[in-house]
Amino acid sequence: MMERTSRMPAERHPLEPFLPDGAKILMLGSFPPKRERWSMDFFYPNFNNDMWRIFGLVFFTDKSHFITSDGRHFDKEKVMDFCAGKGIALYDTACEVIRLKDNASDKFLEIVSPTDIAALLSGIPSCRAIVTTGQKAAETAASALGCQVPDTGSFEKIAESCLSGMSGNMKKDGSPQRLWRLPSSSRAYPLPLEKKAEVYRRMFEAEGLI
């Protein structure tokens, strides 16, 4: 366990899960940055985080597709409409954390309460894969789902026994079978934007969203 370097208070997740009808994949990050870093009131809100630039490249060959005309914010409504239309649900692997340092780094996040993934899945019965964005999210989800942590850009099969134990109303043919691990969209992750987009594209193609 990491030693606390400060006495930061515990933070509850500030957003509700985004679970559109017919969602085919569930994307899970770690936890949002502090609110002063937000450029919109939605997931991956930090304008220096490249998630929505990755989406722009993958689906529209335009990294600025989800950026507002002022060039300083992400377009929340455009992002939400797109994700709902594609069947992409969004949340994080922690619903309560302590920041061991006053920053947004996953390295200094202590998870107080992990997300109840089963509860999320019960609201999206068409979900067929869980996609984690970064190492901490992948490790947290793998622990909950009874599988190995995937290599970056790959997936591991989720244990059927784990899924059946998580929720009695999950059917074998309707439960997610794969846990993906994709590179973090944070600029701290040492991979060029275009290379990250290639990895995301391969996952979206494999899951039939492209």
Side-chain angles (χ1 to χ4, degrees):
M1 180 179 291
M2 292 179 291
E3 180 181 354
R4 292 185 187 176
T5 56
S6 63
R7 293 181 177 274
M8 302 295 290
E11 294 179 43
R12 296 289 301 176
H13 203 294
L15 296 169
E16 292 296 319
F18 180 73
L19 305 174
D21 291 342
K24 301 176 182 68
I25 67 170
L26 170 62
M27 294 187 68
L28 297 173
S30 53
F31 198 79
K34 298 182 74 172
R35 190 171 282 274
E36 61 257 29
R37 298 178 181 270
W38 291 22
S39 74
M40 67 170 175
D41 191 24
F42 197 59
F43 295 92
Y44 305 97
N46 188 336
F47 195 66
N48 286 328
N49 185 291
D50 283 329
M51 181 60 76
W52 304 117
R53 293 179 183 87
I54 291 169
F55 269 58
L57 283 174
V58 170
F59 292 100
F60 301 98
T61 63
D62 176 12
K63 67 181 181 180
S64 299
H65 181 80
F66 293 106
I67 296 176
T68 57
S69 59
D70 66 7
R72 295 184 296 177
H73 301 83
F74 294 119
D75 189 325
K76 175 185 174 181
E77 297 304 321
K78 197 171 186 178
V79 167
M80 291 179 65
D81 288 347
F82 175 79
C83 289
K86 277 290 181 182
I88 299 171
L90 295 154
Y91 198 56
D92 291 306
T93 53
C95 56
E96 186 176 14
V97 302
I98 292 173
R99 299 186 197 275
L100 302 181
K101 290 190 175 181
D102 190 22
N103 60 36
S105 172
D106 281 0
K107 181 179 179 180
F108 299 109
L109 280 183
E110 177 184 305
I111 296 178
V112 177
S113 301
T115 295
D116 184 347
I117 297 176
L120 297 182
L121 294 173
S122 69
I124 44 174
S126 298
C127 180
R128 55 183 180 240
I130 296 171
V131 179
T132 57
T133 59
Q135 179 178 347
K136 194 174 196 73
E139 291 173 348
T140 305
S143 176
L145 295 167
C147 64
Q148 296 295 314
V149 179
D151 293 333
T152 302
S154 302
F155 68 84
E156 291 284 344
K157 188 173 182 180
I158 299 170
E160 291 178 4
S161 59
C162 181
L163 286 172
S164 63
M166 287 171 65
S167 176
N169 63 5
M170 284 187 186
K171 297 179 181 179
K172 181 178 178 181
D173 61 354
S175 301
Q177 300 294 306
R178 293 171 296 281
L179 173 67
W180 288 84
R181 173 184 173 183
L182 300 186
S184 170
S185 53
S186 167
R187 293 184 181 178
Y189 188 87
L191 191 68
L193 175 62
E194 292 75 13
K195 295 293 186 182
K196 291 183 183 181
E198 289 176 12
V199 180
Y200 277 72
R201 177 185 294 277
R202 289 196 294 270
M203 179 279 295
F204 284 123
E205 288 176 344
E207 294 301 335
L209 274 70
I210 295 178

